[in-house]
Amino acid sequence: MKPAVMNKFGRTDLEVTSFAFGTAPVGNIFREIDDATSEAMFDHAWEAGVRYFDTAPMYGHGLSELRTGHALRWKNRDDYVLSSKVGRVLHPAPRGSIDFAPWVNAGAFRMEFDYSYDGTMRSFEDSLQRLGLERIDIVFIHDIDVYTRGAEQPEVFRQAMDGCYRALARLRDEKVVKAIGVGVNEWEVCHEALKQRDFDGFLLAGRYTLLEQDALNEFLPLCEERGASVVVGGGFNSGILATGAKPGAKYNYAPAPEEIMTRVAKIEEVCADHDVPLAAAALQFVVAHPAVASFCAGTRTVGQLEHNLAWMNHPIPAEFWTTLKDRGLLRQDAPVPG
C-alpha cells in the first residue's frame, strides 16, 4: 500500500491519492499550530506524493481554508484534488465576540449553520475567496448527522437534501465542481442520503475501521452498486488505533471503554506476532475496500505526518489478516489488502 497510489473517485474523472492530507489540525483545533509548521506539513505531504487535500469552513473558522490556499496557491491546479464543505456560513466578527472552542486563535469569523440553497451558494463562493484558488473539486454537505445536530437532525437532514443538494447539483451540472457528497460521523446518514439523492461520494469519520465494520451491511455495498466513493476520516477511532490500548487512550473523542480497550489489546497481540504496527494495520485496512478511495488524516507535526506515510508503506503479511479473522477480531467479509 502506497500513499501516492491514485484511486478513481466515484463515477467522475477525478483521481485521489490513497492518503489524503486532512486540514482540521492546521485550523488550530484544541491548540495552536504556527504558520511555519503548517507550511512544512503541506510541503512534506506534497514531496511524498500526496495529491488530495480536504478542508472546510468550520476548521478554525476559516483558518484552515486560508492556510490550505496559501500552501497550494502556486502548485499546478491540475496536479491535485481539493475538497471543502458547505452547511455553515462564516460572518466577520470581532474576535472578542466569538466562542472559538474547540479551536484556538482561529479566524475572525462567527459560524452559522445554513443548509439553504442560497446559503450553500454563499458558503461555496466564500470558500473560493478564502482559498484564493480557481476551483474546488469535491464539495461535501457537512455535519448533518445525529452526533452534531442531536434531536434536530431529521429536520436538518431534510433541509440539506432540499437546499444544499439542489445547489450542489446545479454546480455539478454546470461543471463548476466535479463531485458532490456528504461528510458526517455516521454511515447511516450517508446511506440514507445516497438512497434519496445522486451523490458521488462521502467523507465518513470513524465508522469504517479495524474496530467498526457495520458499514459493510448496507452502506458500502450500495456505494459499490451506485459507483460512489468513500473517503474515511478518523480511521484511528480518535486515537486508540494509533496509540494502542494504553491508559488514557481515546475512542470516539472520549476515554475508551473497557470492552474497546480489551478488543484493541487482542489486536495488538496479533500485531506483535506479525511485526505489524497497529496504526499501519488500521490505515491499510480502510483503503482495502473497493469503495474507499482515500484515508484522510490530519497531523500536528511533520513527524506525525511522516509516521502516517510510513505506516501506509509498511509491509503486512496476508497471514496477519487471516489471523484477525480467525480470532473473531475482524469480520469474515471485510476486504483486506493483498
Side-chain angles (χ1 to χ4, degrees):
M1 199 71 65
K2 302 292 183 183
V5 166
M6 305 299 290
N7 297 316
K8 193 170 184 296
F9 190 86
R11 303 157 299 172
T12 73
D13 62 358
L14 293 171
E15 288 191 330
V16 296
T17 46
S18 58
F19 184 88
F21 186 89
T23 65
V26 302
N28 289 352
I29 191 167
F30 304 128
R31 61 181 184 270
E32 187 173 356
I33 290 174
D34 61 32
D35 288 340
T37 300
S38 174
E39 289 180 30
M41 286 192 293
F42 276 104
D43 289 345
H44 192 79
W46 188 271
E47 290 166 5
V50 175
R51 294 295 184 270
Y52 176 31
F53 301 85
D54 175 72
T55 186
M58 174 199 181
Y59 302 159
H61 294 237
L63 178 61
S64 169
E65 289 184 321
L66 290 165
R67 283 176 159 173
T68 299
H70 177 77
L72 298 177
R73 188 152 303 136
W74 306 117
K75 306 293 187 187
N76 185 327
R77 186 59 191 86
D78 292 332
D79 286 348
Y80 63 90
V81 172
L82 175 66
S83 59
S84 192
K85 305 177 183 74
V86 294
R88 291 175 174 86
V89 174
L90 305 189
H91 303 277
R95 285 187 173 276
S97 69
I98 303 171
D99 178 7
F100 286 119
W103 312 94
V104 177
N105 196 20
F109 301 92
R110 62 176 178 84
M111 293 192 290
E112 176 186 22
F113 284 114
D114 191 334
Y115 296 100
S116 67
Y117 178 94
D118 289 344
T120 300
M121 289 299 196
R122 175 173 177 178
S123 176
F124 176 74
E125 291 290 340
D126 286 353
S127 287
L128 285 174
Q129 294 287 347
R130 282 189 294 272
L131 288 160
L133 300 170
E134 66 265 36
R135 73 173 187 269
I136 299 168
D137 301 294
I138 306 169
V139 183
F140 297 110
I141 304 171
H142 203 189
D143 286 348
I144 54 173
D145 49 17
V146 177
Y147 176 84
T148 307
R149 304 312 303 272
E152 63 182 359
Q153 188 272 339
E155 175 59 20
V156 167
F157 183 87
R158 185 196 65 77
Q159 291 173 2
M161 293 303 101
D162 292 344
C164 289
Y165 176 80
R166 190 160 53 92
L168 294 183
R170 176 181 174 182
L171 292 175
R172 181 178 60 187
D173 289 345
E174 294 177 350
K175 303 189 185 308
V176 177
V177 302
K178 293 188 175 183
I180 63 175
V182 172
V184 292
N185 292 275
E186 295 143 11
W187 69 262
E188 296 90 343
V189 175
C190 296
H191 186 230
E192 186 60 32
L194 187 55
K195 288 194 294 183
Q196 291 192 22
R197 299 290 190 271
D198 181 27
F199 287 109
D200 302 294
F202 300 88
L203 200 166
L204 178 61
R207 300 285 76 81
Y208 184 65
T209 70
L210 267 185
L211 290 174
E212 301 183 40
Q213 293 111 49
D214 286 350
L216 287 169
N217 296 340
E218 299 176 275
F219 171 55
L220 290 174
L222 184 61
C223 287
E224 290 187 88
E225 178 186 326
R226 296 277 296 275
S229 284
V230 179
V231 178
V232 172
F236 297 129
N237 279 125
S238 302
I240 193 168
L241 288 176
T243 65
K246 68 178 187 180
K250 293 292 192 297
Y251 171 75
N252 288 352
Y253 312 107
E258 189 60 36
E259 63 269 22
I260 294 295
M261 294 282 279
T262 300
R263 187 174 183 84
V264 172
K266 291 179 179 178
I267 295 173
E268 287 184 278
E269 291 176 5
V270 182
C271 287
D273 290 342
H274 292 85
D275 194 25
V276 173
L278 173 64
L283 198 159
Q284 294 187 36
F285 167 73
V286 167
V287 292
H289 194 286
V292 176
S294 191
F295 181 106
C296 184
T299 56
R300 296 185 178 280
T301 66
V302 170
Q304 287 182 354
L305 177 59
E306 288 176 337
H307 281 308
N308 279 318
L309 297 170
W311 290 329
M312 196 77 164
N313 275 312
H314 191 91
I316 300 180
E319 295 79 12
F320 170 79
W321 305 108
T322 302
T323 303
L324 285 182
K325 291 186 176 184
D326 289 346
R327 295 187 185 181
L329 298 170
L330 189 63
R331 277 178 52 155
Q332 291 292 330
D333 59 344
V336 295

